[in-house]
Amino acid sequence: MVWPHGFNDLRKAARRRLPRFLFDYVDGGSFDELAIARNVNAVRAVALRQRVLNDVSQSDLSTTLFGQKLAMPLMLAPVGMGGMLRRRGEIQAVRAAQANGVPAVLSTVTLCSADEITAATQAPFWFQLYMAKDRGFVMDLLAKVKALGCNTLFMTVDLPVPGPRWRDQRSGLSGPPGALGQWRRWREIVTHPRWTWDVGVQGRPHTLGNLVPIMEGKVKMADFLRWSGQNFDPSVTWKDLEFIRNHWDGPLILKGIIDPEDAVRVADLGADGLVVSNHGGRQLDGSVGTAEALPAIAEAVGERLTVLIDGGIRNGLDIVRMLALGAKGVMIG
């Protein structure tokens, strides 16, 4: 067995292990997936100035973000349905992050609930929020994660409605409906026995733990996709940040900022940070690459906010590139 030595090796291993509908869900983007390619190309286009004969024998990669000491300027980004990739995958991710001295940001739509993750890991976590139409549910969820020890909140602002992801429709994750879609999924499940045993059998229950109180017992993937389309709130505007601030007194970071004017509004509204992000190219396929957007945003608000970035980052050298452009840390997911 050859161990993966980089992103491309990991991607090949994931393609072999995962049913196609899950690999495409993680790997794909919206429409023609141009934004994914643009993210990667924008990062790789950053040329570094090389200086030599400096003493680097005592290099220190650590930093402090939102009051927490990090071993390096890296965070695990929120990944929806991560528990479908490995058995109770979000628990594994939090344990890995803790072992390496970096934070994990849990998605609203994890398989494992925040309660289960806390009980299994005894580790602190940061949390990402999708704004639902039911504000009572949002308030209850914020109160729950705060009671579990979370003190840092990421609010995703670039998903008012789910983007059209053609790969998910072709693979059977989000279509076609009925027997044809089921057949496509089951064909992949039976041809990936390691995943079937690890996740399909031993990784149950396949519920979206944080959404159990609001999904009325509906737990299948099709139910989640239908629920998200009906319950993510497309009417959210800047004024709704006041609602979040009234129910969250810790650090607040807005995730999904790509324009300097929006970045200034984030600062004016009293947030603590932002993530330069286009949702990994999974929403607006015509957007600029995040590394293209970063310098102007860092110049506009870098003295007022903690600026983070995701999208197209594949290795440690890419982290250096993003720090050179003005980010204080990067997220990978």
Side-chain angles (χ1 to χ4, degrees):
M1 178 179 179
V2 178
W3 291 100
H5 286 86
F7 174 84
N8 289 331
D9 289 348
L10 288 167
R11 184 175 182 273
K12 291 175 183 177
R15 185 190 286 275
R16 289 193 301 268
R17 182 181 181 88
L18 295 175
R20 179 185 169 187
F21 61 89
L22 287 176
F23 176 80
D24 282 354
Y25 168 73
V26 173
D27 191 60
S30 64
F31 290 100
D32 293 315
E33 302 185 353
L34 301 178
I36 293 180
R38 191 157 186 172
N39 279 348
V40 175
N41 292 335
V43 173
R44 296 298 169 86
V46 177
L48 296 171
R49 180 186 180 191
Q50 180 175 314
R51 301 292 303 277
V52 299
L53 296 178
N54 292 296
D55 183 357
V56 295
S57 60
Q58 303 297 322
S59 297
D60 181 4
L61 302 181
S62 66
T63 188
T64 299
L65 296 175
F66 311 114
Q68 180 171 329
K69 185 72 175 291
L70 281 61
M72 64 187 87
L74 175 69
M75 291 138 277
L76 298 190
V79 175
M81 301 193 296
M84 292 299 292
L85 310 178
R86 295 286 292 201
R87 187 194 317 173
R88 314 315 281 169
E90 293 96 5
I91 291 173
Q92 294 194 44
V94 171
R95 286 173 174 163
Q98 183 183 34
N100 288 278
V102 299
V105 184
L106 299 184
S107 171
T108 296
V109 291
T110 51
L111 250 69
C112 304
S113 69
D115 307 78
E116 179 187 354
I117 294 168
T118 301
T121 65
Q122 302 300 310
F125 63 88
W126 295 349
F127 191 75
Q128 172 267 337
L129 176 71
Y130 284 124
M131 182 70 87
K133 293 177 181 178
D134 186 338
R135 296 296 196 266
F137 165 75
V138 172
M139 288 189 294
D140 291 344
L141 183 58
L142 291 178
K144 182 176 79 169
V145 298
K146 183 176 180 180
L148 291 171
C150 173
N151 64 358
T152 302
L153 179 69
F154 288 70
M155 180 179 174
T156 296
V157 295
D158 61 356
L159 202 154
V161 295
R165 299 172 191 170
W166 291 342
R167 268 211 257 179
D168 290 349
Q169 297 174 25
R170 297 187 189 105
S171 70
L173 180 66
S174 61
L180 180 57
Q182 291 182 359
W183 177 80
R184 288 183 180 177
R185 290 189 293 272
W186 277 106
R187 178 185 61 185
E188 289 294 311
I189 288 171
V190 299
T191 56
H192 291 81
R194 291 179 60 198
W195 177 91
T196 300
W197 177 246
D198 178 52
V199 180
V201 176
Q202 294 188 304
R204 296 175 178 174
H206 298 153
T207 61
L208 295 166
N210 295 321
L211 302 185
V212 167
I214 199 174
M215 286 190 67
E216 300 176 349
K218 299 177 180 179
V219 297
K220 296 179 181 178
M221 288 299 127
D223 293 322
F224 159 64
L225 295 170
R226 190 179 305 112
W227 180 90
S228 63
Q230 295 172 350
N231 288 276
F232 286 173
D233 192 347
S235 70
V236 172
T237 65
W238 294 98
K239 63 180 176 59
D240 292 285
L241 291 182
E242 183 177 349
F243 169 84
I244 297 299
R245 261 302 180 206
N246 288 338
H247 295 90
W248 186 264
D249 56 6
L252 174 64
I253 301 95
L254 267 61
K255 180 177 178 290
I257 303 300
I258 206 78
D259 186 276
E261 292 185 19
D262 285 345
V264 171
R265 294 196 71 171
V266 174
D268 291 343
L269 288 166
D272 301 278
L274 61 80
V275 185
V276 180
S277 174
N278 56 13
H279 217 91
R282 298 161 70 80
Q283 284 297 104
L284 180 61
D285 197 30
S287 66
V288 301
T290 52
E292 294 175 280
L294 173 59
I297 291 176
E299 182 178 359
V301 298
E303 298 298 322
R304 303 172 64 190
L305 296 172
T306 298
V307 176
L308 310 175
I309 187 171
D310 69 16
I313 295 151
R314 299 291 186 256
N315 51 48
L317 182 58
D318 292 345
I319 296 176
V320 173
R321 287 177 161 120
M322 297 304 97
L323 298 181
L325 293 184
K328 299 300 183 184
V330 306
M331 306 182 78
I332 59 171

mmCIF file of all heavy atoms in Angstrom, residues 157 238 241 252-277 290 292-309 326:
data_model
loop_
_atom_site.group_PDB
_atom_site.id
_atom_site.type_symbol
_atom_site.label_atom_id
_atom_site.label_comp_id
_atom_site.label_asym_id
_atom_site.label_seq_id
_atom_site.Cartn_x
_atom_site.Cartn_y
_atom_site.Cartn_z
ATOM 1 N N VAL A 157 -22.891 33.113 4.493
ATOM 2 C CA VAL A 157 -23.766 34.127 3.898
ATOM 3 C C VAL A 157 -23.883 34.002 2.384
ATOM 4 O O VAL A 157 -24.539 34.833 1.741
ATOM 5 C CB VAL A 157 -23.274 35.547 4.259
ATOM 6 C CG1 VAL A 157 -23.376 35.774 5.756
ATOM 7 C CG2 VAL A 157 -21.837 35.777 3.770
ATOM 8 N N TRP A 238 -28.509 41.989 5.411
ATOM 9 C CA TRP A 238 -27.583 42.503 6.426
ATOM 10 C C TRP A 238 -28.262 42.772 7.754
ATOM 11 O O TRP A 238 -27.646 42.621 8.817
ATOM 12 C CB TRP A 238 -26.934 43.786 5.907
ATOM 13 C CG TRP A 238 -26.050 43.566 4.715
ATOM 14 C CD1 TRP A 238 -26.375 43.756 3.400
ATOM 15 C CD2 TRP A 238 -24.708 43.090 4.724
ATOM 16 N NE1 TRP A 238 -25.315 43.432 2.597
ATOM 17 C CE2 TRP A 238 -24.265 43.028 3.370
ATOM 18 C CE3 TRP A 238 -23.816 42.728 5.730
ATOM 19 C CZ2 TRP A 238 -22.996 42.604 3.024
ATOM 20 C CZ3 TRP A 238 -22.535 42.314 5.374
ATOM 21 C CH2 TRP A 238 -22.148 42.250 4.045
ATOM 22 N N LEU A 241 -28.104 40.217 10.660
ATOM 23 C CA LEU A 241 -26.935 40.055 11.519
ATOM 24 C C LEU A 241 -27.196 40.594 12.919
ATOM 25 O O LEU A 241 -26.605 40.132 13.891
ATOM 26 C CB LEU A 241 -25.731 40.758 10.904
ATOM 27 C CG LEU A 241 -25.174 40.133 9.620
ATOM 28 C CD1 LEU A 241 -23.959 40.898 9.156
ATOM 29 C CD2 LEU A 241 -24.837 38.671 9.829
ATOM 30 N N LEU A 252 -17.738 36.485 16.005
ATOM 31 C CA LEU A 252 -18.632 36.210 14.880
ATOM 32 C C LEU A 252 -17.871 36.466 13.586
ATOM 33 O O LEU A 252 -17.338 37.553 13.372
ATOM 34 C CB LEU A 252 -19.862 37.110 14.947
ATOM 35 C CG LEU A 252 -20.834 37.045 13.757
ATOM 36 C CD1 LEU A 252 -21.457 35.662 13.644
ATOM 37 C CD2 LEU A 252 -21.921 38.114 13.901
ATOM 38 N N ILE A 253 -17.833 35.444 12.731
ATOM 39 C CA ILE A 253 -17.105 35.523 11.466
ATOM 40 C C ILE A 253 -18.083 35.234 10.332
ATOM 41 O O ILE A 253 -18.827 34.245 10.385
ATOM 42 C CB ILE A 253 -15.944 34.500 11.432
ATOM 43 C CG1 ILE A 253 -14.972 34.756 12.577
ATOM 44 C CG2 ILE A 253 -15.221 34.555 10.089
ATOM 45 C CD1 ILE A 253 -15.220 33.935 13.817
ATOM 46 N N LEU A 254 -18.106 36.085 9.321
ATOM 47 C CA LEU A 254 -18.976 35.869 8.166
ATOM 48 C C LEU A 254 -18.201 35.143 7.072
ATOM 49 O O LEU A 254 -17.141 35.610 6.646
ATOM 50 C CB LEU A 254 -19.528 37.186 7.642
ATOM 51 C CG LEU A 254 -20.906 37.595 8.223
ATOM 52 C CD1 LEU A 254 -20.828 37.760 9.719
ATOM 53 C CD2 LEU A 254 -21.432 38.836 7.560
ATOM 54 N N LYS A 255 -18.744 34.037 6.626
ATOM 55 C CA LYS A 255 -18.076 33.178 5.643
ATOM 56 C C LYS A 255 -18.798 33.288 4.300
ATOM 57 O O LYS A 255 -20.001 33.045 4.226
ATOM 58 C CB LYS A 255 -18.078 31.724 6.125
ATOM 59 C CG LYS A 255 -17.410 30.739 5.181
ATOM 60 C CD LYS A 255 -17.407 29.356 5.802
ATOM 61 C CE LYS A 255 -16.785 28.336 4.864
ATOM 62 N NZ LYS A 255 -17.647 28.072 3.675
ATOM 63 N N GLY A 256 -18.039 33.678 3.259
ATOM 64 C CA GLY A 256 -18.636 33.803 1.934
ATOM 65 C C GLY A 256 -18.513 35.192 1.362
ATOM 66 O O GLY A 256 -19.279 35.584 0.486
ATOM 67 N N ILE A 257 -17.522 35.961 1.812
ATOM 68 C CA ILE A 257 -17.310 37.329 1.336
ATOM 69 C C ILE A 257 -16.297 37.302 0.196
ATOM 70 O O ILE A 257 -15.225 36.711 0.317
ATOM 71 C CB ILE A 257 -16.811 38.239 2.474
ATOM 72 C CG1 ILE A 257 -17.803 38.224 3.652
ATOM 73 C CG2 ILE A 257 -16.593 39.653 1.964
ATOM 74 C CD1 ILE A 257 -19.188 38.702 3.310
ATOM 75 N N ILE A 258 -16.628 37.970 -0.911
ATOM 76 C CA ILE A 258 -15.763 37.952 -2.081
ATOM 77 C C ILE A 258 -15.557 39.359 -2.666
ATOM 78 O O ILE A 258 -14.758 39.547 -3.572
ATOM 79 C CB ILE A 258 -16.345 36.997 -3.149
ATOM 80 C CG1 ILE A 258 -15.241 36.438 -4.073
ATOM 81 C CG2 ILE A 258 -17.449 37.653 -3.939
ATOM 82 C CD1 ILE A 258 -14.450 35.338 -3.457
ATOM 83 N N ASP A 259 -16.275 40.346 -2.115
ATOM 84 C CA ASP A 259 -16.218 41.703 -2.651
ATOM 85 C C ASP A 259 -15.765 42.678 -1.561
ATOM 86 O O ASP A 259 -16.253 42.605 -0.430
ATOM 87 C CB ASP A 259 -17.603 42.118 -3.167
ATOM 88 C CG ASP A 259 -17.578 43.456 -3.875
ATOM 89 O OD1 ASP A 259 -17.667 44.490 -3.178
ATOM 90 O OD2 ASP A 259 -17.463 43.473 -5.108
ATOM 91 N N PRO A 260 -14.855 43.609 -1.860
ATOM 92 C CA PRO A 260 -14.371 44.544 -0.838
ATOM 93 C C PRO A 260 -15.468 45.401 -0.219
ATOM 94 O O PRO A 260 -15.411 45.715 0.981
ATOM 95 C CB PRO A 260 -13.353 45.400 -1.599
ATOM 96 C CG PRO A 260 -12.918 44.563 -2.740
ATOM 97 C CD PRO A 260 -14.115 43.753 -3.141
ATOM 98 N N GLU A 261 -16.483 45.782 -0.999
ATOM 99 C CA GLU A 261 -17.562 46.599 -0.428
ATOM 100 C C GLU A 261 -18.344 45.806 0.613
ATOM 101 O O GLU A 261 -18.737 46.347 1.659
ATOM 102 C CB GLU A 261 -18.486 47.098 -1.543
ATOM 103 C CG GLU A 261 -17.838 48.113 -2.470
ATOM 104 C CD GLU A 261 -18.822 48.671 -3.497
ATOM 105 O OE1 GLU A 261 -20.043 48.550 -3.274
ATOM 106 O OE2 GLU A 261 -18.361 49.219 -4.507
ATOM 107 N N ASP A 262 -18.580 44.529 0.346
ATOM 108 C CA ASP A 262 -19.229 43.693 1.355
ATOM 109 C C ASP A 262 -18.341 43.535 2.582
ATOM 110 O O ASP A 262 -18.823 43.509 3.717
ATOM 111 C CB ASP A 262 -19.561 42.316 0.772
ATOM 112 C CG ASP A 262 -20.755 42.346 -0.159
ATOM 113 O OD1 ASP A 262 -21.505 43.342 -0.138
ATOM 114 O OD2 ASP A 262 -20.959 41.362 -0.900
ATOM 115 N N ALA A 263 -17.036 43.427 2.352
ATOM 116 C CA ALA A 263 -16.114 43.293 3.479
ATOM 117 C C ALA A 263 -16.188 44.511 4.398
ATOM 118 O O ALA A 263 -16.167 44.380 5.632
ATOM 119 C CB ALA A 263 -14.689 43.103 2.960
ATOM 120 N N VAL A 264 -16.291 45.693 3.823
ATOM 121 C CA VAL A 264 -16.413 46.906 4.637
ATOM 122 C C VAL A 264 -17.703 46.882 5.437
ATOM 123 O O VAL A 264 -17.735 47.282 6.614
ATOM 124 C CB VAL A 264 -16.333 48.149 3.732
ATOM 125 C CG1 VAL A 264 -16.666 49.408 4.527
ATOM 126 C CG2 VAL A 264 -14.935 48.271 3.114
ATOM 127 N N ARG A 265 -18.786 46.410 4.842
ATOM 128 C CA ARG A 265 -20.044 46.306 5.578
ATOM 129 C C ARG A 265 -19.931 45.329 6.749
ATOM 130 O O ARG A 265 -20.507 45.557 7.814
ATOM 131 C CB ARG A 265 -21.176 45.876 4.641
ATOM 132 C CG ARG A 265 -21.529 46.902 3.577
ATOM 133 C CD ARG A 265 -22.866 46.622 2.928
ATOM 134 N NE ARG A 265 -23.982 46.896 3.836
ATOM 135 C CZ ARG A 265 -25.257 46.898 3.479
ATOM 136 N NH1 ARG A 265 -25.581 46.626 2.219
ATOM 137 N NH2 ARG A 265 -26.211 47.161 4.346
ATOM 138 N N VAL A 266 -19.197 44.229 6.535
ATOM 139 C CA VAL A 266 -18.973 43.276 7.626
ATOM 140 C C VAL A 266 -18.277 43.975 8.788
ATOM 141 O O VAL A 266 -18.661 43.814 9.959
ATOM 142 C CB VAL A 266 -18.138 42.079 7.135
ATOM 143 C CG1 VAL A 266 -17.774 41.166 8.303
ATOM 144 C CG2 VAL A 266 -18.903 41.281 6.080
ATOM 145 N N ALA A 267 -17.259 44.765 8.489
ATOM 146 C CA ALA A 267 -16.542 45.486 9.535
ATOM 147 C C ALA A 267 -17.442 46.518 10.216
ATOM 148 O O ALA A 267 -17.432 46.657 11.443
ATOM 149 C CB ALA A 267 -15.304 46.160 8.945
ATOM 150 N N ASP A 268 -18.219 47.242 9.433
ATOM 151 C CA ASP A 268 -19.088 48.280 9.985
ATOM 152 C C ASP A 268 -20.158 47.696 10.910
ATOM 153 O O ASP A 268 -20.614 48.364 11.849
ATOM 154 C CB ASP A 268 -19.764 49.065 8.859
ATOM 155 C CG ASP A 268 -18.792 49.927 8.077
ATOM 156 O OD1 ASP A 268 -17.678 50.177 8.586
ATOM 157 O OD2 ASP A 268 -19.147 50.344 6.958
ATOM 158 N N LEU A 269 -20.552 46.449 10.647
ATOM 159 C CA LEU A 269 -21.601 45.823 11.444
ATOM 160 C C LEU A 269 -21.073 45.170 12.718
ATOM 161 O O LEU A 269 -21.833 44.580 13.479
ATOM 162 C CB LEU A 269 -22.358 44.799 10.602
ATOM 163 C CG LEU A 269 -23.277 45.406 9.537
ATOM 164 C CD1 LEU A 269 -23.715 44.359 8.526
ATOM 165 C CD2 LEU A 269 -24.502 46.033 10.197
ATOM 166 N N GLY A 270 -19.775 45.251 12.935
ATOM 167 C CA GLY A 270 -19.231 44.798 14.206
ATOM 168 C C GLY A 270 -18.868 43.338 14.284
ATOM 169 O O GLY A 270 -18.716 42.792 15.386
ATOM 170 N N ALA A 271 -18.703 42.662 13.142
ATOM 171 C CA ALA A 271 -18.222 41.288 13.171
ATOM 172 C C ALA A 271 -16.741 41.267 13.532
ATOM 173 O O ALA A 271 -16.064 42.302 13.533
ATOM 174 C CB ALA A 271 -18.461 40.608 11.825
ATOM 175 N N ASP A 272 -16.237 40.091 13.848
ATOM 176 C CA ASP A 272 -14.844 39.959 14.263
ATOM 177 C C ASP A 272 -13.933 39.484 13.142
ATOM 178 O O ASP A 272 -12.716 39.631 13.222
ATOM 179 C CB ASP A 272 -14.745 38.979 15.437
ATOM 180 C CG ASP A 272 -15.569 39.447 16.626
ATOM 181 O OD1 ASP A 272 -15.058 40.290 17.383
ATOM 182 O OD2 ASP A 272 -16.711 38.987 16.780
ATOM 183 N N GLY A 273 -14.525 38.880 12.109
ATOM 184 C CA GLY A 273 -13.708 38.376 11.018
ATOM 185 C C GLY A 273 -14.566 38.011 9.834
ATOM 186 O O GLY A 273 -15.807 38.093 9.875
ATOM 187 N N LEU A 274 -13.902 37.609 8.762
ATOM 188 C CA LEU A 274 -14.607 37.134 7.575
ATOM 189 C C LEU A 274 -13.753 36.072 6.893
ATOM 190 O O LEU A 274 -12.540 35.980 7.111
ATOM 191 C CB LEU A 274 -14.921 38.288 6.608
ATOM 192 C CG LEU A 274 -13.774 39.097 6.014
ATOM 193 C CD1 LEU A 274 -13.101 38.395 4.826
ATOM 194 C CD2 LEU A 274 -14.266 40.481 5.573
ATOM 195 N N VAL A 275 -14.411 35.270 6.091
ATOM 196 C CA VAL A 275 -13.723 34.280 5.271
ATOM 197 C C VAL A 275 -13.943 34.654 3.810
ATOM 198 O O VAL A 275 -15.085 34.699 3.342
ATOM 199 C CB VAL A 275 -14.233 32.852 5.522
ATOM 200 C CG1 VAL A 275 -13.389 31.847 4.716
ATOM 201 C CG2 VAL A 275 -14.202 32.501 6.996
ATOM 202 N N VAL A 276 -12.849 34.944 3.117
ATOM 203 C CA VAL A 276 -12.924 35.162 1.677
ATOM 204 C C VAL A 276 -13.216 33.800 1.050
ATOM 205 O O VAL A 276 -12.369 32.909 1.053
ATOM 206 C CB VAL A 276 -11.619 35.756 1.131
ATOM 207 C CG1 VAL A 276 -11.725 35.971 -0.375
ATOM 208 C CG2 VAL A 276 -11.288 37.054 1.843
ATOM 209 N N SER A 277 -14.423 33.642 0.524
ATOM 210 C CA SER A 277 -14.863 32.317 0.088
ATOM 211 C C SER A 277 -15.964 32.446 -0.945
ATOM 212 O O SER A 277 -16.810 33.335 -0.851
ATOM 213 C CB SER A 277 -15.373 31.510 1.290
ATOM 214 O OG SER A 277 -15.926 30.273 0.881
ATOM 215 N N THR A 290 -10.857 33.002 -5.130
ATOM 216 C CA THR A 290 -10.720 33.651 -3.820
ATOM 217 C C THR A 290 -9.356 34.320 -3.661
ATOM 218 O O THR A 290 -9.248 35.386 -3.046
ATOM 219 C CB THR A 290 -10.958 32.642 -2.690
ATOM 220 O OG1 THR A 290 -10.119 31.491 -2.881
ATOM 221 C CG2 THR A 290 -12.411 32.196 -2.675
ATOM 222 N N GLU A 292 -7.747 35.732 -5.964
ATOM 223 C CA GLU A 292 -7.829 36.983 -6.721
ATOM 224 C C GLU A 292 -8.495 38.076 -5.889
ATOM 225 O O GLU A 292 -8.141 39.257 -5.974
ATOM 226 C CB GLU A 292 -8.628 36.778 -8.002
ATOM 227 C CG GLU A 292 -7.999 35.846 -9.021
ATOM 228 C CD GLU A 292 -8.918 35.605 -10.199
ATOM 229 O OE1 GLU A 292 -9.838 34.774 -10.084
ATOM 230 O OE2 GLU A 292 -8.723 36.267 -11.238
ATOM 231 N N ALA A 293 -9.496 37.686 -5.101
ATOM 232 C CA ALA A 293 -10.261 38.656 -4.316
ATOM 233 C C ALA A 293 -9.548 39.072 -3.037
ATOM 234 O O ALA A 293 -9.794 40.160 -2.511
ATOM 235 C CB ALA A 293 -11.628 38.074 -3.972
ATOM 236 N N LEU A 294 -8.666 38.223 -2.518
ATOM 237 C CA LEU A 294 -8.081 38.440 -1.195
ATOM 238 C C LEU A 294 -7.316 39.753 -1.039
ATOM 239 O O LEU A 294 -7.532 40.464 -0.042
ATOM 240 C CB LEU A 294 -7.188 37.245 -0.830
ATOM 241 C CG LEU A 294 -6.358 37.365 0.451
ATOM 242 C CD1 LEU A 294 -7.254 37.597 1.668
ATOM 243 C CD2 LEU A 294 -5.502 36.111 0.646
ATOM 244 N N PRO A 295 -6.414 40.127 -1.931
ATOM 245 C CA PRO A 295 -5.605 41.331 -1.663
ATOM 246 C C PRO A 295 -6.433 42.594 -1.452
ATOM 247 O O PRO A 295 -6.160 43.376 -0.528
ATOM 248 C CB PRO A 295 -4.732 41.440 -2.916
ATOM 249 C CG PRO A 295 -4.618 40.046 -3.431
ATOM 250 C CD PRO A 295 -5.964 39.430 -3.164
ATOM 251 N N ALA A 296 -7.463 42.809 -2.266
ATOM 252 C CA ALA A 296 -8.274 44.015 -2.122
ATOM 253 C C ALA A 296 -9.060 43.995 -0.815
ATOM 254 O O ALA A 296 -9.244 45.038 -0.170
ATOM 255 C CB ALA A 296 -9.224 44.159 -3.310
ATOM 256 N N ILE A 297 -9.532 42.818 -0.414
ATOM 257 C CA ILE A 297 -10.280 42.715 0.842
ATOM 258 C C ILE A 297 -9.347 42.930 2.032
ATOM 259 O O ILE A 297 -9.689 43.645 2.994
ATOM 260 C CB ILE A 297 -10.995 41.361 0.921
ATOM 261 C CG1 ILE A 297 -12.129 41.318 -0.107
ATOM 262 C CG2 ILE A 297 -11.526 41.093 2.330
ATOM 263 C CD1 ILE A 297 -12.847 39.982 -0.194
ATOM 264 N N ALA A 298 -8.167 42.336 1.982
ATOM 265 C CA ALA A 298 -7.212 42.526 3.073
ATOM 266 C C ALA A 298 -6.819 43.991 3.207
ATOM 267 O O ALA A 298 -6.664 44.516 4.319
ATOM 268 C CB ALA A 298 -5.976 41.654 2.837
ATOM 269 N N GLU A 299 -6.667 44.666 2.087
ATOM 270 C CA GLU A 299 -6.320 46.093 2.130
ATOM 271 C C GLU A 299 -7.463 46.920 2.695
ATOM 272 O O GLU A 299 -7.244 47.872 3.451
ATOM 273 C CB GLU A 299 -5.971 46.586 0.722
ATOM 274 C CG GLU A 299 -5.560 48.049 0.681
ATOM 275 C CD GLU A 299 -5.161 48.512 -0.707
ATOM 276 O OE1 GLU A 299 -5.183 47.689 -1.644
ATOM 277 O OE2 GLU A 299 -4.837 49.705 -0.852
ATOM 278 N N ALA A 300 -8.702 46.537 2.371
ATOM 279 C CA ALA A 300 -9.860 47.325 2.800
ATOM 280 C C ALA A 300 -10.159 47.160 4.285
ATOM 281 O O ALA A 300 -10.543 48.129 4.951
ATOM 282 C CB ALA A 300 -11.082 46.935 1.966
ATOM 283 N N VAL A 301 -10.019 45.939 4.825
ATOM 284 C CA VAL A 301 -10.481 45.696 6.199
ATOM 285 C C VAL A 301 -9.485 44.930 7.054
ATOM 286 O O VAL A 301 -9.784 44.571 8.188
ATOM 287 C CB VAL A 301 -11.829 44.932 6.199
ATOM 288 C CG1 VAL A 301 -12.916 45.748 5.508
ATOM 289 C CG2 VAL A 301 -11.685 43.555 5.552
ATOM 290 N N GLY A 302 -8.285 44.697 6.534
ATOM 291 C CA GLY A 302 -7.326 43.881 7.270
ATOM 292 C C GLY A 302 -6.921 44.436 8.616
ATOM 293 O O GLY A 302 -6.510 43.678 9.505
ATOM 294 N N GLU A 303 -7.049 45.744 8.793
ATOM 295 C CA GLU A 303 -6.734 46.349 10.091
ATOM 296 C C GLU A 303 -7.919 46.305 11.050
ATOM 297 O O GLU A 303 -7.756 46.542 12.253
ATOM 298 C CB GLU A 303 -6.290 47.799 9.885
ATOM 299 C CG GLU A 303 -5.031 47.960 9.044
ATOM 300 C CD GLU A 303 -3.823 47.298 9.700
ATOM 301 O OE1 GLU A 303 -3.724 47.372 10.941
ATOM 302 O OE2 GLU A 303 -2.999 46.708 8.971
ATOM 303 N N ARG A 304 -9.101 46.005 10.541
ATOM 304 C CA ARG A 304 -10.309 46.009 11.366
ATOM 305 C C ARG A 304 -10.842 44.616 11.663
ATOM 306 O O ARG A 304 -11.524 44.412 12.670
ATOM 307 C CB ARG A 304 -11.408 46.818 10.655
ATOM 308 C CG ARG A 304 -11.010 48.250 10.337
ATOM 309 C CD ARG A 304 -12.067 48.929 9.477
ATOM 310 N NE ARG A 304 -13.345 49.050 10.169
ATOM 311 C CZ ARG A 304 -14.478 49.421 9.591
ATOM 312 N NH1 ARG A 304 -14.487 49.689 8.276
ATOM 313 N NH2 ARG A 304 -15.596 49.517 10.280
ATOM 314 N N LEU A 305 -10.550 43.667 10.790
ATOM 315 C CA LEU A 305 -11.090 42.319 10.907
ATOM 316 C C LEU A 305 -9.987 41.282 10.743
ATOM 317 O O LEU A 305 -8.964 41.551 10.106
ATOM 318 C CB LEU A 305 -12.147 42.054 9.819
ATOM 319 C CG LEU A 305 -13.430 42.867 9.825
ATOM 320 C CD1 LEU A 305 -14.216 42.572 8.546
ATOM 321 C CD2 LEU A 305 -14.267 42.524 11.046
ATOM 322 N N THR A 306 -10.230 40.090 11.283
ATOM 323 C CA THR A 306 -9.374 38.948 10.987
ATOM 324 C C THR A 306 -9.837 38.346 9.668
ATOM 325 O O THR A 306 -10.970 37.873 9.559
ATOM 326 C CB THR A 306 -9.448 37.897 12.101
ATOM 327 O OG1 THR A 306 -8.972 38.468 13.321
ATOM 328 C CG2 THR A 306 -8.601 36.681 11.756
ATOM 329 N N VAL A 307 -8.961 38.377 8.669
ATOM 330 C CA VAL A 307 -9.316 37.916 7.328
ATOM 331 C C VAL A 307 -8.783 36.500 7.128
ATOM 332 O O VAL A 307 -7.574 36.254 7.234
ATOM 333 C CB VAL A 307 -8.746 38.856 6.246
ATOM 334 C CG1 VAL A 307 -9.036 38.304 4.853
ATOM 335 C CG2 VAL A 307 -9.333 40.251 6.407
ATOM 336 N N LEU A 308 -9.691 35.572 6.841
ATOM 337 C CA LEU A 308 -9.357 34.184 6.523
ATOM 338 C C LEU A 308 -9.728 33.916 5.068
ATOM 339 O O LEU A 308 -10.385 34.726 4.424
ATOM 340 C CB LEU A 308 -10.114 33.225 7.445
ATOM 341 C CG LEU A 308 -10.053 33.507 8.945
ATOM 342 C CD1 LEU A 308 -10.945 32.533 9.701
ATOM 343 C CD2 LEU A 308 -8.608 33.417 9.448
ATOM 344 N N ILE A 309 -9.325 32.759 4.558
ATOM 345 C CA ILE A 309 -9.637 32.426 3.171
ATOM 346 C C ILE A 309 -9.763 30.924 3.011
ATOM 347 O O ILE A 309 -9.145 30.147 3.755
ATOM 348 C CB ILE A 309 -8.544 32.968 2.209
ATOM 349 C CG1 ILE A 309 -8.960 32.775 0.746
ATOM 350 C CG2 ILE A 309 -7.196 32.329 2.495
ATOM 351 C CD1 ILE A 309 -8.065 33.471 -0.267
ATOM 352 N N GLY A 326 -2.180 38.513 2.528
ATOM 353 C CA GLY A 326 -2.865 39.268 3.565
ATOM 354 C C GLY A 326 -3.790 38.490 4.465
ATOM 355 O O GLY A 326 -4.370 39.048 5.397
#
